Amino acid sequence: MSYLLRIDASASGPSSISRQVADSFTAAWTGDIVRRDLALNPVDHLGATGITARTTPAGEHTPEQKAAARLQDELVEEFLGAAAYLFAVPLYNYSMPSVFKAWLDHTMVVGRTIGLGDAVPTAGRPAVVVSARGGGYGPGAPQHGKDFLVPALETVFGDPNLMALDVRAITPELTYAPRMEPLRHLLPQHHASLEDAHMQARRQAEEISRTTSDRTVSVRS
């Protein structure tokens, strides 16, 4: 257990603000990094085969269940092997990109990554969620209360009965301001939010990675 697991979910490539802020985090990280880019290499959505593979004895698996079990084992072991987590997940239509939800459904396995009252191996490990959004969702903003992404991930990752991670969120806002005329008057707020997000990312990386060194990058894409 020695690396940072970075999961990217934005479909926007290098222009993604979530990715750019996550890049600031990894630039300040001093340990090993394993990266999984779900936009470049999405996993299939969890179906009946994957669900039944969890409850069917391995010796009775069909070929399809064997393949589903191999994928889930790969994702779960990669998750459990990390010392810390970086999730670059933009807010799409008030929620998470479907590629991230697919990854999450494969990774959440009772008795392996979810405790439901029992101790979980990831309890207390730090997790940073970077979630850029086109508008403003803070107190007083028109979209306040309509962010159904960060609260969901704080529950899934942070609830002591689930994955029990130490979750911190970084949310650069108003990313539409440079591109949409009705929001141009909010450019100063956007720039301030973005600058603060990069600063938070660097600070969190330095704080979390103090005990790690010898940076190595492995990219799954």
Side-chain angles (χ1 to χ4, degrees):
M1 186 185 73
S2 60
Y3 56 83
L4 170 76
L5 176 60
R6 172 175 171 174
I7 305 292
D8 286 283
S10 173
S12 299
S15 65
S16 162
I17 297 298
S18 294
R19 288 175 182 268
Q20 292 171 17
V21 173
D23 287 343
S24 287
F25 185 102
T26 54
W29 182 261
T30 58
D32 295 350
I33 301 172
V34 171
R35 183 174 177 183
R36 184 175 288 273
D37 192 326
L38 297 173
L40 293 177
N41 185 27
V43 298
D44 291 335
H45 289 277
L46 181 64
T49 302
I51 294 172
T52 56
R54 297 178 179 179
T55 56
T56 302
E60 300 176 14
H61 279 178
T62 65
E64 293 77 16
Q65 287 175 321
K66 288 180 181 179
R70 281 196 300 270
L71 172 61
Q72 291 183 26
D73 286 344
E74 176 185 344
L75 298 177
V76 167
E77 292 306 315
E78 184 176 77
F79 181 82
L80 292 177
Y85 306 88
L86 175 62
F87 303 111
V89 189
L91 184 67
Y92 282 4
N93 298 319
Y94 304 104
S95 186
M96 68 187 73
S98 62
V99 293
F100 190 80
K101 185 60 165 65
W103 173 85
L104 195 59
D105 288 341
H106 283 289
T107 307
M108 295 180 67
V109 181
V110 175
R112 298 183 71 184
T113 60
I114 296 177
L116 291 183
D118 296 324
V120 290
T122 55
R125 297 181 193 174
V128 175
V129 175
V130 178
S131 180
R133 54 276 320 281
Y137 290 78
Q143 301 294 333
H144 180 56
K146 296 180 182 179
D147 173 3
F148 301 106
L149 168 58
V150 170
L153 295 186
E154 288 176 336
T155 297
V156 168
F157 291 132
D159 190 295
N161 289 314
L162 298 176
M163 294 180 171
L165 302 177
D166 176 11
V167 183
R168 308 104 182 265
I170 301 174
T171 55
E173 295 197 325
L174 300 167
T175 61
Y176 286 158
R179 294 179 286 153
M180 297 181 65
E181 187 60 38
L183 296 179
R184 286 290 176 86
H185 67 288
L186 297 173
L187 270 173
Q189 291 94 320
H190 161 65
H191 290 310
S193 177
L194 184 57
E195 181 180 357
D196 181 65
H198 282 288
M199 180 183 68
Q200 288 186 60
R202 290 188 292 268
R203 185 176 67 244
Q204 292 282 4
E206 291 167 359
E207 174 187 327
I208 295 170
S209 68
R210 280 176 188 155
T211 59
T212 63
S213 59
D214 301 325
R215 176 175 177 170
T216 302
V217 179
S218 173
V219 179
R220 298 180 185 271
S221 60

